[in-house]
Structures are given as structure tokens and as C-alpha cells.
Amino acid sequence: MDWTVQLPDALTSRFASAHEMERRVLEALALDEFRLGHLTRPELKKVLGFATRAALDSFLLSHGVFGRYSPADLDRDRADLQRLGL
């Protein structure tokens, strides 16, 4: 879907190209939808066109979005480390 958004010159002058601006708007909107729980990680990966999960993880980390780490995750990691003798 194509749509038009009016942006002030003070904002648009910061971008090198229309493509860069379009990408930044897409990333901001998709990231906000992810933070709100409206997009899953696989959906976000697809929307942003990342080929790998690592690329998505890098994007999320660069925007200060960290995954959830539960006590069950910690227990599983501890068990894995013990199994490996570490």
C-alpha cells in the first residue's frame, strides 16, 4: 500500500535521499508495532526484509530492544552449560 505523509522540511533535510527516509519511516513504524506486541519476530523480519535472524537481532539491539529472558530460560542455559561441562 502506498500512502503520503507530510513531513516538515526541518526533518526531511536530515536524510540523504527519499529512499533513506522511506526506510527509516518503515523501520520506525514496524519497530513500534513490534514493541506494542502487534508484530512477532518472524513478521518483523519479513516486513523489514532481513534474510537472517541474526540480522534482525542486530537491528533490534541497535535500537535498544532486548529479548525477554525468563527464569525458565536461565534454568535451561544453566542445564546446557552443566551438560557441556562448563
Side-chain angles (χ1 to χ4, degrees):
M1 170 192 287
D2 290 336
W3 44 275
T4 302
V5 176
Q6 297 295 323
L7 299 172
D9 290 340
L11 180 61
T12 59
S13 64
R14 298 173 190 262
F15 297 100
S17 67
H19 176 72
E20 179 190 357
M21 186 173 16
E22 181 179 318
R23 178 66 187 185
R24 293 275 307 274
V25 169
L26 172 63
E27 288 176 356
L29 180 59
L31 188 59
D32 191 47
E33 288 298 296
F34 177 74
R35 285 180 171 145
L36 291 171
H38 300 160
L39 285 176
T40 64
R41 289 175 72 87
E43 289 170 331
L44 182 62
K45 181 177 165 272
K46 182 177 181 180
V47 165
L48 295 178
F50 291 122
T52 65
R53 190 177 73 186
L56 175 62
D57 289 346
S58 178
F59 169 80
L60 290 172
L61 287 174
S62 72
H63 288 84
V65 178
F66 305 99
R68 294 180 179 93
Y69 193 77
S70 71
D73 294 326
L74 178 60
D75 291 341
R76 192 172 32 258
D77 287 345
R78 283 182 179 159
D80 288 343
L81 289 171
Q82 287 175 346
R83 184 179 51 81
L84 294 170
L86 301 172

